[in-house]
Amino acid sequence: MEKLQNKIREEGVALSDSVLKVDKFLNHQIDPQLMHEMGKEFASKFEKEGITKIVTLESSGIAPAVMTGLILNVPVIFARKKKSLTLTEGLITSKVYSYTKQETNEVSVSNKFLSKEDNVLIIDDFLANGQAALALIDIVEKIEATVAGVGIVIEKAFQDGGAVLRTKGYRVESLARIQSLSDKKIEFVKEKEQ
Ligand code: 5GP
């Protein structure tokens, strides 16, 4: 998605060879117009799949997921990273190792909001080693709902998450794919390879 690539070029900062900071429009400050465009893009990619729910992970997945849910006209559920005082019963959980924080957390969704009839689109901000997406897939599959696909805002194609998910047979659609962050330069996967 060209608009997103341009935004990453203009405002993204490669913190190292493997970590990209995009807090000017996605991870802290949010650009609503760009989120809306991304929602339209995800919605058009998955419109024929009969999606009934979107599942994402708090907090940075929520903005693109809500925009997609608005356009597909389906509810959006965000998995929680911390246990809530008001949400204690019927929790479906999975473990996820956080790449940026280098710690393992449990993420959870209430079983009230998903059922085995659901056809779920998973959305997240980044795909690195696939841990977050796999945990969301695990939760959906524990409920015996169907995973229709995974929508990712920024895939770091030099890490193995994309290959892991695609090899397992999941449809993964990424709006921007980064080839390399070496020498703090942001290189995208060439258009024809995407
Ligand atoms: P994975 O679980 O695929 O290894 O990593 C994806 C998760 O880690 C995303 O939910 C995202 O929050 C975080 N993450 C991974 N790599 C990056 C990165 O380069 N920049 C930012 N901002 N977050 C990242």
Side-chain angles (χ1 to χ4, degrees):
M1 186 181 164
E2 209 178 316
K3 258 191 196 157
L4 174 61
Q5 282 200 7
N6 291 340
K7 192 77 166 175
I8 295 170
R9 271 196 201 98
E10 284 158 19
E11 298 188 354
V13 179
L15 290 184
S16 67
D17 284 0
S18 63
V19 177
L20 178 66
K21 186 169 176 171
V22 285
D23 64 348
K24 282 195 180 164
F25 63 92
L26 180 61
N27 291 139
H28 196 16
Q29 175 171 259
I30 292 174
D31 179 335
Q33 275 78 28
L34 182 64
M35 294 301 135
H36 189 214
E37 294 294 321
M38 297 194 316
K40 287 197 273 188
E41 193 77 18
F42 280 133
S44 79
K45 288 183 190 296
F46 288 97
E47 69 189 349
K48 294 196 177 77
E49 298 287 339
I51 305 297
T52 62
K53 301 266 168 72
I54 294 174
V55 170
T56 187
L57 184 58
E58 69 172 345
S59 51
S60 296
I62 295 176
V66 166
M67 291 299 182
T68 311
L70 183 67
I71 293 155
L72 290 177
N73 196 23
V74 297
V76 177
I77 300 138
F78 62 91
R80 288 175 179 271
K81 290 178 178 163
K82 294 237 163 65
K83 294 257 153 62
S84 148
L85 284 177
T86 57
L87 188 85
T88 49
E89 275 169 38
L91 286 184
I92 313 296
T93 62
S94 189
K95 284 201 170 31
V96 50
Y97 176 75
S98 163
Y99 180 82
T100 42
K101 299 198 179 104
Q102 310 220 323
E103 61 186 30
T104 301
N105 287 304
E106 220 163 52
V107 296
S108 54
V109 167
S110 164
N111 64 5
K112 272 198 307 203
F113 300 119
L114 285 172
S115 72
K116 57 179 183 227
E117 286 75 36
D118 278 317
N119 193 31
V120 178
L121 170 60
I122 287 169
I123 287 191
D124 202 10
D125 60 341
F126 271 88
L127 180 61
N129 297 305
Q131 295 292 305
L134 285 170
L136 297 178
I137 289 171
D138 182 42
I139 288 175
V140 172
E141 293 184 344
K142 276 179 178 158
I143 294 178
E144 296 177 35
T146 306
V147 174
V150 180
I152 297 291
V153 177
I154 303 172
E155 175 179 346
K156 291 186 292 179
F158 57 89
Q159 292 179 296
D160 65 0
V164 168
L165 295 175
R166 291 180 179 107
T167 305
K168 285 177 183 284
Y170 297 104
R171 177 177 169 199
V172 181
E173 295 285 352
S174 304
L175 302 186
R177 299 184 73 215
I178 292 181
Q179 178 76 59
S180 159
L181 295 172
S182 294
D183 302 324
K184 304 200 171 169
K185 263 184 64 197
I186 305 169
E187 308 268 8
F188 294 93
V189 174
K190 297 236 169 21
E191 211 55 72
K192 57 180 182 335
E193 297 166 24
Q194 289 209 16

